[in-house]
Amino acid sequence: MGLASRHNHPMPAKPAATPAKTLSAPQKALIKLGLVRDIDLALHLPLRYEDETRIVKLRDVREGDTAQIEATVTACEITMRPRRQLLVTVDDGSDTCVMRFFSFYPSHQKALAVGNRIRARGEVKGGFMGLTMMHPTFKAAGGNLAEALTPVYSTVAGLAQAYLRRAVITGLNHADLSETLPPGIPWPDPRGAWSLREALQFLHHPTPDVSLASLEDRSHPAWIRLKCEELLAQQLSQLTAKRERDLLRAPALKHKAQGLYGQLLKALPFGLTNAQQRVGREIAQDLARQVPMHRLLQGDVGAGKTVVAALAAMVAVDAGWQCALMAPTEILATQHFAKLVGWLEPLGVKVAWLIGSQKKKERAAMLAMIESGEAALVVGTHAVIQEHVKFKNLALAVIDEQHRFGVAQRLALRGKMQEGGMEPHMLMMTATPIPRTLAMSYYADLDVSVIDELPPGRTPIVTRVVSDHRRDEVVARIGAQLQQGRQVYWVCPLIEESEALDLTNATQTHADLSEALPGVMVGLLHSRMPVAEKKAVMDLFTAGQMGVLVSTTVIEVGVDVPNASLMVIEHAERFGLSQLHQLRGRVGRGAAASACVLLYGTPEGGRLSETARERLRAMVETNDGFEIARRDLEIRGPGEFLGARQSGAPLLRFADLETDSHLLDWARALAPQMLDQHPYLAERHIGRWLGGKSEYLKA
Ligand code: ADP
Ligand code: MG
């Protein structure tokens, strides 16, 4: 895991290069799940368990239970109403149950003939006709019962549970599960340490006498062992990265109060908040050192991170170096560019910009300016990290909305420094933070600065949750806002991740609102529009000529139009909590009282899910991004590993930063000791847990 290899292979290791064609569908699905090595399979722990260790009596079954019964078939018939189905009635002596099959074959009828005794498993529902099971699994009665609970794993299409179970057992048998924890270390759980092998064997196939609650809430000692292992791997990997980084060099950028830094400060139309001044000092101290800065700037939406980045850039420029600022979307990059040009060109600082859809000629001019060093600051999207972009002397790289970027992209930006043996200083900015105290101990490899104060004069945003049935009232409210000279965002949701559908929906809403609000300019913005058109729409909205902007989530991050005071989010129940908070942050940026309306729709006759309701409630109850982050962790729980990774939150599968903070403390204390005294064990431990993914934690 040396530095050299990191630079040569910035991407996480790919699974072994077997030609894709020779892989079966389930094998491909395993790779998709990241289950490549034996140890990956062994560490793929069950989502839940089914109990096939016993037969229950129908009389004792509660509605919603998944039950295994043995019973005699008393009726077996095909009905056509309400649609063609096979109805099988069984009796186990305590009660009867009707089993329904919507798809069935003659073999079903044969196996389920009247008089046969069968063993069936399925979820039991109550109802008008008494107990029912939909599509239970069944076989002839008798035979052995399972000795352990049956694991149910998270899976993907094309990968059956049975196949996955066998694969996991194979992985478990072949994986090297030898001890990597140094002997004699203190254990954070009074119930004592389980070995990794014992813990994994148990969690995959627990004995039926276990308290299911202790498996579910992950308080069982076997779970503790796994969580400790995971947290230790994470801490070891980050600490290793930190130690490697500490050996690197970066140009020491000495702060000059009299230079551009001071001039920008003077030229700004506002004074910095105390929090901005404090984080500015923290960054300046880092930049003055010869070791590359690796700092995360957390600040709620609207806290004013951009200006802090601009000031940091001026420190670099004052010292004769270049700075790059990378943003995740073209709209955001364009806005940053406009704002920074406004601030910096009067000071004589040249700003270049790079986006994917730029005209060839313009791009060539920009590339030349960047390579010659004429442009001191470069703003752009992913276009900034493309191969052919050459900097003259990059010393500071700023990544806005860093959670939206992948690791490879962050590494690529770091690699843009030409000077041998040096790395640029890195400033990463994000508004979807994890609670500060957690961030401090979790990110062993990152220094964290927090802007915990909003600029003065903002009025808190009032948030309301409104049923979609009352859409008309919301439209009326839009009219009222427009009359006061205000502007409005209307956000349409992602439908089943299909861009095409998104678009139909947004287009329809755009048409409806245009009709309902005669004389008002209503604009439409979506990700498929050509950039020039997007820009034209944004310009009209920014200039205040356009009253309402209907958009898909492209406006999600960073957009800054202080006159906008109302945000309507349609089908808010489909958004994640931090996404809702980011969206809401587009209003409340000026002095006017602002509001956010969360429209929700319910599936026909259905209800909102409990977590959807909790998310909406959290939005009404708090405007504080840190509190939102805390609730988000709480609502999502530790299980949603992938979702969490996408939203930039912790990369943990098993441990929960909030409930397991004592385990984190344990891992944090142990990691440096282990690296110093047992480097070989440490390396094996990291390899076991992170394999090729350890790069993820470094960037
Ligand atoms: P974010 O932290 O979400 O990126 P921005 O940097 O976009 O926030 O800032 C939000 C708005 O607040 C911008 O219009 C910015 O110019 C303004 N702003 C930043 N700092 C201050 C301040 N100290 N006083 C007043 N307005 C400020
Ligand atoms: Mg921003």
Side-chain angles (χ1 to χ4, degrees):
M1 215 173 308
L3 287 171
S5 72
R6 182 164 79 209
H7 287 273
N8 293 340
H9 308 284
M11 298 289 289
K14 287 253 162 48
T18 322
K21 276 192 200 117
T22 67
L23 293 178
S24 68
Q27 281 170 328
K28 281 187 208 154
L30 284 179
I31 292 174
K32 194 164 157 196
L33 282 172
L35 305 179
V36 179
R37 307 171 300 164
D38 289 324
I39 187 70
D40 299 330
L41 284 158
L43 295 175
H44 191 60
L45 291 180
L47 281 179
R48 57 189 175 82
Y49 303 92
E50 285 180 354
D51 188 352
E52 291 176 292
T53 63
R54 57 204 175 104
I55 305 289
V56 294
K57 285 288 177 197
L58 282 167
R59 181 183 53 219
D60 300 327
V61 168
R62 278 167 314 169
E63 199 184 329
D65 282 356
T66 297
Q68 175 162 263
I69 59 167
E70 282 196 351
T72 306
V73 177
T74 57
C76 177
E77 60 193 17
I78 295 172
T79 63
M80 290 303 188
R81 250 173 280 162
R83 54 185 262 220
R84 188 175 135 86
Q85 54 185 290
L86 181 66
L87 282 184
V88 177
T89 310
V90 298
D91 187 336
D92 76 348
S94 75
D95 202 344
T96 63
C97 176
V98 175
M99 307 195 296
R100 291 169 183 275
F101 300 87
F102 288 113
S103 65
F104 57 93
Y105 300 98
S107 60
H108 277 76
Q109 283 159 275
K110 202 163 149 222
L112 295 167
V114 172
N116 284 1
R117 269 190 68 74
I118 59 163
R119 182 185 290 176
R121 275 182 51 77
E123 189 183 336
V124 179
K125 294 244 158 71
F128 181 64
M129 297 177 57
L131 299 176
T132 62
M133 282 190 194
M134 289 286 222
H135 278 268
T137 57
F138 64 88
K139 58 184 176 190
N144 292 338
L145 288 169
E147 279 169 15
L149 298 179
T150 309
V152 179
Y153 298 103
S154 68
T155 185
V156 290
L159 183 58
Q161 279 295 328
Y163 185 99
L164 185 50
R165 278 180 197 140
R166 282 195 305 272
V168 168
I169 289 175
T170 311
L172 206 48
N173 289 338
H174 289 101
D176 169 15
L177 300 178
S178 58
E179 197 56 72
T180 47
L181 297 194
I185 51 164
W187 194 244
D189 191 72
R191 292 166 295 183
W194 284 42
S195 76
L196 179 64
R197 181 181 303 277
E198 284 168 336
L200 285 175
Q201 298 279 7
F202 181 82
L203 290 176
H204 284 291
H205 305 287
T207 46
D209 58 349
V210 67
S211 135
L212 275 178
S214 75
L215 290 183
E216 247 154 55
D217 70 9
R218 303 185 173 187
S219 62
H220 191 280
W223 266 119
I224 302 285
R225 167 74 202 220
L226 275 246
K227 294 198 275 194
C228 284
E229 286 249 333
E230 177 182 45
L231 287 165
L232 181 61
Q234 179 268 337
Q235 290 288 313
L236 283 172
S237 143
Q238 295 207 349
L239 197 58
T240 308
K242 182 171 176 54
R243 289 181 175 188
E244 287 176 356
R245 192 186 321 280
D246 285 346
L247 298 176
L248 292 171
R249 287 290 161 262
L253 308 173
K254 295 281 184 234
H255 176 75
K256 290 196 204 112
Q258 300 310 316
L260 291 163
Y261 181 95
Q263 292 172 35
L264 173 57
L265 208 51
K266 239 186 257 150
L268 286 174
F270 48 75
L272 297 186
T273 61
N274 288 329
Q276 284 170 320
Q277 290 176 28
R278 189 190 64 244
V279 303
R281 280 195 299 274
E282 288 165 359
I283 293 167
Q285 276 164 15
D286 283 359
L287 293 177
R289 298 176 61 217
Q290 274 191 346
V291 176
M293 169 169 79
H294 201 225
R295 188 171 280 279
L296 179 69
L297 175 56
Q298 289 192 351
D300 207 351
V301 281
K305 295 184 287 295
T306 317
V307 68
V308 172
L311 286 164
M314 289 311 98
V315 175
V317 178
D318 273 333
W321 294 80
Q322 286 173 302
C323 171
L325 169 64
M326 185 161 74
T329 64
E330 294 204 349
I331 288 188
L332 189 52
T334 311
Q335 269 212 349
H336 279 333
F337 177 68
K339 184 160 237 167
L340 290 165
V341 164
W343 284 340
L344 300 179
E345 297 237 299
L347 308 181
V349 178
K350 260 260 180 279
V351 187
W353 76 312
L354 282 177
I355 57 171
S357 60
Q358 215 155 16
K359 292 232 166 61
K360 260 210 177 115
K361 219 168 131 193
E362 188 185 33
R363 159 167 308 215
M366 292 295 163
L367 289 175
M369 274 170 62
I370 298 166
E371 188 159 7
S372 71
E374 186 191 347
L377 176 59
V378 181
V379 180
T381 58
H382 306 79
V384 170
I385 51 175
Q386 278 164 356
E387 191 102 26
H388 56 269
V389 181
K390 301 256 185 303
F391 286 81
K392 174 164 179 255
N393 60 354
L394 179 69
L396 171 62
V398 183
I399 301 186
D400 195 18
E401 310 290 348
Q402 67 100 23
H403 59 284
R404 298 277 303 258
F405 286 97
V407 176
Q409 293 159 339
R410 281 180 246 163
L411 288 172
L413 187 53
R414 264 163 60 182
K416 282 289 175 195
M417 188 156 182
Q418 304 286 327
E419 287 70 14
M422 296 244 246
E423 287 229 349
H425 296 284
M426 294 280 288
L427 179 63
M428 289 156 277
M429 309 203 288
T430 182
T432 49
I434 58 176
R436 181 181 190 183
T437 46
L438 287 177
M440 299 288 201
S441 42
Y442 179 72
Y443 295 121
D445 179 33
L446 215 53
D447 297 305
V448 182
S449 287
V450 181
I451 306 185
D452 51 6
E453 172 188 13
L454 292 180
R458 304 260 173 96
T459 43
I461 306 164
V462 176
T463 301
R464 292 255 144 65
V465 176
V466 177
S467 161
D468 196 40
H469 299 308
R470 291 168 55 201
R471 208 181 165 94
D472 290 348
E473 292 168 40
V474 175
V475 175
R477 185 156 169 192
I478 291 181
Q481 284 293 309
L482 294 168
Q483 290 226 309
Q484 292 171 31
R486 299 280 159 209
Q487 290 165 279
V488 178
Y489 292 105
W490 184 295
V491 179
C492 298
L494 203 72
I495 301 166
E496 313 258 307
E497 316 241 332
S498 148
E499 254 188 283
L501 267 179
D502 274 5
L503 201 52
T504 331
N505 186 44
T507 314
Q508 186 59 47
T509 304
H510 175 248
D512 293 349
L513 287 175
S514 303
E515 193 183 309
L517 301 163
V520 175
M521 192 194 290
V522 181
L524 175 63
L525 196 65
H526 59 77
S527 50
R528 290 225 184 136
M529 269 158 71
V531 174
E533 218 174 294
K534 271 190 212 166
K535 184 169 177 311
V537 171
M538 248 355 262
D539 284 349
L540 283 169
F541 193 69
T542 310
Q545 281 161 277
M546 182 178 284
V548 182
L549 180 60
V550 177
S551 93
T552 54
T553 42
V554 287
I555 62 153
E556 180 184 343
V557 291
V559 179
D560 186 33
V561 179
N563 190 48
S565 60
L566 175 62
M567 154 90 39
V568 180
I569 304 177
E570 201 174 335
H571 279 299
E573 77 280 1
R574 293 184 190 159
F575 291 93
L577 188 49
S578 62
Q579 207 180 6
L580 287 173
H581 181 66
Q582 286 254 346
L583 284 169
R584 175 171 64 183
R586 300 308 114 216
V587 295
R589 301 193 147 225
S594 292
C596 174
V597 175
L598 303 174
L599 279 178
Y600 67 92
T602 43
E604 226 163 289
R607 306 177 52 189
L608 283 185
S609 73
E610 183 56 37
T611 55
R613 262 179 296 163
E614 273 181 61
R615 285 198 298 267
L616 298 181
R617 195 177 310 133
M619 284 293 290
V620 172
E621 285 172 4
T622 179
N623 266 313
D624 174 353
F626 289 92
E627 174 64 13
I628 293 271
R630 200 188 61 71
R631 299 235 198 154
D632 200 19
L633 269 182
E634 195 176 283
I635 295 171
R636 273 191 291 131
E640 287 187 26
F641 173 55
L642 281 177
R645 180 158 74 195
Q646 273 150 16
S647 70
L651 287 141
L652 295 170
R653 277 189 281 175
F654 302 140
D656 175 324
L657 286 183
E658 207 149 342
T659 53
D660 298 325
S661 61
H662 65 298
L663 305 183
L664 177 60
D665 292 343
W666 171 87
R668 190 171 164 77
L670 180 57
Q673 247 178 308
M674 197 164 154
L675 277 183
D676 292 338
Q677 291 161 23
H678 306 277
Y680 176 63
L681 289 178
E683 195 178 314
R684 270 180 52 214
H685 190 82
I686 296 175
R688 168 181 288 168
W689 274 87
L690 301 166
K693 287 192 218 95
S694 56
E695 294 294 342
Y696 270 87
L697 294 162
K698 287 189 197 169

